[in-house]
Amino acid sequence: MSPVPAPAARRWTAERWARVGITIQFLALVRTLAEVYRLRWAAGGRLSFAQAEPFVAGGLIAAVFCWAAVTLHFFGRHRASVAVSIAMVAVMIAYKLAVLGP
């Protein structure tokens, strides 16, 4: 007797992982750009571009990676989309450590 396969809704396929990765990327993008508003509030409304620039650059990095993952997902390259999502997390951590410090 062969084992009964799990229902399709319970299987973690590459497509589902790609969707989770894209969601995480989008949330990282929103979080990065929202930091500019937090800094502006903390600075009493006086935020220079030099203070906000690292966060805007981080947002651009996240946006490009998110775009790449979504494009790969649309073309059915789900494993590549997952790889891009993982790479984005690594790049964002490296960028934070290099630019903003530990």
Side-chain angles (χ1 to χ4, degrees), residues 20-97:
V20 168
I22 290 167
T23 301
I24 291 170
Q25 286 180 305
F26 182 74
L27 293 174
L29 170 62
V30 170
R31 168 67 176 92
T32 303
L33 294 178
E35 187 66 16
V36 174
Y37 291 101
R38 189 198 66 80
L39 286 172
R40 188 173 70 177
W41 177 80
R46 296 180 185 210
L47 180 68
S48 70
F49 180 72
Q51 292 171 309
E53 185 177 14
F55 299 99
V56 174
L60 286 172
I61 291 169
V64 169
F65 273 95
C66 193
W67 166 79
V70 168
T71 301
L72 289 167
H73 182 70
F74 282 157
F75 285 109
R77 307 285 302 178
H78 304 299
R79 289 186 179 156
S81 179
V82 171
V84 168
S85 298
I86 293 169
M88 196 253 347
V89 171
V91 168
M92 291 295 285
I93 290 171
Y95 178 76
K96 182 209 178 286
L97 293 175

